[in-house]
Amino acid sequence: MTSSCRLRRWTEIQGTLLLLVGWSLASTCPSSCLCASDLLSCTRAALTEVPDHLPAISVTLDLSHNSLHTLHGNWLAGVPQLHVLRLNHNELKWLLDGAFENATNLRHLDLSSNRLQSIREGHFHLLVSLEELLLYNNYITQVDEASFTRLSNIRKIYLSWNNLTTFSFSSMHNLTHPNLRTLDLSANKFMELPVDDMSAVPAFIKNGLYLHNNPLTCGCALYTLFLQWKQRGFSSVLDFWREHTCLYMGKPRAVVRILESLNGLDNCSSGPGQELADPGLKVLVGRRLLVSCNTSLPKENTTYLWISPAYDFIFPPGTSNQSFRIHPNGSLEIHRAQPWNSGVYLCIAVNRRLSYNTTHEVNVTVHYPKHEVESFNTGLTTLLGCVVSLVLVFIYLYMTPCQCFRCCRKPPQTPSPPQESSAQSSILCGTPPVSEGPNSRKVGASRHVVFLEPIKEGRTEKNPKILQLRSDSDSASSVFSDCPIVQT
């Protein structure tokens, strides 16, 4: 048989096989679905239950935009090669613990836009190959601490647009999710965040930890956390820096952009644009200090190495010298701290089993004890200075000696004429004006004193008391004169 005949024969065999496969798919494909090769699409088919007898060769199963209420156990037993499962836009309210027990090869699971209210530990613990989990736009109020602990290959978890108020960030410690790069918790109901637990989360998770559009309460700890993430260039902050807001004093209408200047949070530990230094540890001279190596790596199969401020290596656990000792858990002990031990210490942790290493810096300050007597003397001196200043002010105001003894003598008082109104005795000073003519009281450049003007004799107004303005030239001597008041 020639080569051309063999090729023609092989083509006929392939065509026959394709026809058989197509006939097999057509015979097993549910009536309300569309089957094409390894794709099974049952979207928008008004389904209330999952169809029976799913094609075994299906790799992608799309059941979105239906009215599914529950997922029965063992329903995926007939599709062992399933990689992609879309269940979004349905009416799912809860999940059975064994709903995905036969989907060990599943990599993408979409449960978004349903009515789920909680995520329990047993829902996804069998999905060891899962890489993407979409749970956004549900009614989830609780996620169990161990819900994702067995998802060792998970890369993306989307939990935005739910009703979460708490989340176990401690479950992300110790490199339990080495491949996780996106954890979306935006647009939930978080009012407070556990800053300490979040600080111990590995940096590669922080880079994709989205927390914007939450009703967070403003505070310096929150401001410092997000500012540190911004300065380290984390995408979770840089991509949505305007959406990172908080409520001032917890009031819903007092919305403040956390990462914007002049937001009321500039008086915290550091202002915008300044590098936030680690406050570090402080110890007195001659005291013992234990410095932890916080690297979020498991203690098993992890080795530690410290570098001193003088760039000297401090050797692995179990070794010691006169000043330092490294404990098996990676902590560095400084026996008797001295001023030259101050500086930044660098811890390097290497886990060979996970092929991963990380570092941690600690700023150590060694200082002498402060004398409390000095601070007391300083405060006492300040207090005495204030008292002396007050005494001098009172002496100046109430005990100023008279410079003119002749003027200080009080002349005999002359009783006012009977026809003179009482307003005549209300003049601030008895110093007569320069002239008494009709044009003598000209308007001054500016008037600052308002007082009672004596009433001319012989006036017959019903109300003899009249408030008038006097010029500055007439009032200056009456206001600032040291002489006693003389009635004319």
Side-chain angles (χ1 to χ4, degrees):
M1 183 181 294
T2 62
S3 59
S4 59
C5 292
R6 291 178 181 177
L7 181 60
R8 187 183 305 109
R9 182 61 177 168
W10 176 244
T11 304
E12 291 176 355
I13 293 174
Q14 285 182 334
T16 304
L17 290 175
L18 289 175
L19 288 174
L20 291 174
V21 171
W23 177 82
S24 177
L25 288 174
S27 62
T28 59
C29 186
S31 59
S32 57
C33 302
L34 175 64
C35 298
S37 183
D38 57 359
L39 172 64
L40 175 58
S41 177
C42 304
T43 182
R44 302 183 186 275
L47 298 175
T48 57
E49 294 183 355
V50 178
D52 297 330
H53 309 295
L54 300 175
I57 65 171
S58 299
V59 175
T60 300
L61 175 56
D62 191 351
L63 293 168
S64 61
H65 295 276
N66 283 290
S67 300
L68 302 178
H69 290 82
T70 57
L71 298 175
H72 301 290
N74 207 34
W75 70 283
L76 291 175
V79 283
Q81 302 300 323
L82 194 64
H83 286 178
V84 178
L85 176 57
R86 297 188 177 95
L87 292 164
N88 52 302
H89 292 278
N90 277 281
E91 302 294 330
L92 297 173
K93 293 184 179 180
W94 60 83
L95 299 173
L96 298 177
D97 289 347
F100 305 105
E101 60 183 352
N102 295 294
T104 54
N105 294 318
L106 192 64
R107 298 178 183 176
H108 178 92
L109 176 58
D110 189 352
L111 288 166
S112 61
S113 300
N114 277 277
R115 297 182 178 274
L116 299 175
Q117 297 180 1
S118 63
I119 301 299
R120 296 199 299 269
E121 179 179 353
H123 286 167
F124 310 120
H125 68 285
L126 296 177
L127 302 180
V128 294
S129 301
L130 191 64
E131 297 179 359
E132 296 183 359
L133 177 58
L134 282 64
L135 293 166
Y136 63 87
N137 195 26
N138 277 279
Y139 298 89
I140 300 173
T141 59
Q142 180 182 359
V143 176
D144 288 352
E145 182 176 357
S147 297
F148 310 127
T149 52
R150 297 192 182 183
L151 304 181
S152 57
N153 292 314
I154 194 69
R155 296 181 58 84
K156 300 178 181 180
I157 300 176
Y158 296 92
L159 278 163
S160 59
W161 294 102
N162 280 285
N163 296 323
L164 290 173
T165 57
T166 59
F167 186 83
S168 177
F169 294 98
S170 59
S171 63
M172 303 293 172
H173 296 175
N174 299 326
L175 211 65
T176 54
H177 300 83
N179 299 311
L180 183 62
R181 294 299 180 269
T182 300
L183 177 58
D184 189 359
L185 296 171
S186 62
N188 275 276
K189 305 295 183 183
F190 290 99
M191 299 185 67
E192 300 288 342
L193 291 177
V195 176
D196 294 337
D197 288 343
M198 295 174 63
S199 299
V201 172
F204 57 82
I205 296 181
K206 294 178 184 177
N207 185 64
L209 180 53
Y210 295 93
L211 292 162
H212 54 279
N213 289 333
N214 274 286
L216 299 169
T217 303
C218 297
C220 286
L222 181 68
Y223 170 74
T224 303
L225 177 71
F226 285 135
L227 192 57
Q228 286 178 337
W229 290 11
K230 179 183 177 182
Q231 292 174 349
R232 296 187 64 177
F234 290 158
S235 300
S236 56
V237 172
L238 296 181
D239 293 348
F240 297 94
W241 71 272
R242 292 181 63 87
E243 285 76 18
H244 280 78
T245 59
C246 62
L247 306 181
Y248 188 74
M249 301 296 291
K251 297 180 180 180
R253 294 188 177 181
V255 179
V256 175
R257 287 193 176 97
I258 301 175
L259 299 173
E260 198 172 63
S261 59
L262 302 177
N263 56 7
L265 299 173
D266 299 343
N267 292 327
C268 291
S269 58
S270 179
Q274 298 178 0
E275 185 69 25
L276 290 179
D278 185 0
L281 301 174
K282 295 183 179 181
V283 63
L284 294 175
V285 173
R287 297 290 181 88
R288 170 182 172 271
L289 178 65
L290 190 65
V291 185
S292 300
C293 183
N294 185 12
T295 58
S296 302
L297 282 174
K299 297 179 181 178
E300 295 79 10
N301 301 314
T302 300
T303 57
Y304 301 91
L305 175 68
W306 284 85
I307 301 178
S308 70
Y311 302 102
D312 295 328
F313 288 99
I314 304 174
F315 294 100
T319 62
S320 61
N321 54 28
Q322 297 180 354
S323 302
F324 305 103
R325 177 190 175 190
I326 300 180
H327 292 265
N329 62 354
S331 299
L332 175 66
E333 179 182 353
I334 303 177
H335 297 302
R336 296 176 60 86
Q338 299 298 325
W340 52 84
N341 296 136
S342 298
V344 177
Y345 289 79
L346 177 65
C347 174
I348 303 175
V350 179
N351 191 293
R352 295 181 178 178
R353 183 176 64 86
L354 298 174
S355 300
Y356 189 83
N357 63 81
T358 184
T359 60
H360 177 65
E361 292 184 357
V362 181
N363 187 12
V364 175
T365 302
V366 183
H367 61 92
Y368 290 94
K370 296 181 180 180
H371 299 286
E372 297 182 357
V373 178
E374 295 180 0
S375 59
F376 173 77
N377 291 339
T378 303
L380 182 60
T381 303
T382 305
L383 179 61
L384 290 177
C386 293
V387 172
V388 171
S389 300
L390 289 174
V391 171
L392 292 176
V393 169
F394 279 109
I395 291 176
Y396 176 77
L397 292 176
Y398 298 102
M399 302 181 63
T400 304
C402 185
Q403 300 296 331
C404 178
F405 294 99
R406 183 180 307 172
C407 298
C408 291
R409 297 177 183 176
K410 190 174 182 180
Q413 301 293 329
T414 303
S416 301
Q419 70 274 11
E420 190 175 54
S421 67
S422 61
Q424 290 177 312
S425 60
S426 301
I427 304 177
L428 295 180
C429 184
T431 306
V434 178
S435 62
E436 297 293 341
N439 298 325
S440 61
R441 299 185 183 274
K442 297 182 179 179
V443 179
S446 62
R447 303 182 181 213
H448 305 284
V449 182
V450 178
F451 56 92
L452 290 174
E453 178 74 2
I455 308 301
K456 298 294 182 178
E457 295 184 8
R459 301 187 65 171
T460 58
E461 286 83 0
K462 294 181 180 180
N463 188 5
K465 297 182 179 181
I466 302 174
L467 270 177
Q468 295 183 354
L469 291 174
R470 294 193 62 183
S471 64
D472 293 343
S473 60
D474 296 338
S475 60
S477 61
S478 62
V479 174
F480 299 100
S481 175
D482 291 334
C483 297
I485 297 174
V486 180
Q487 298 179 348
T488 57

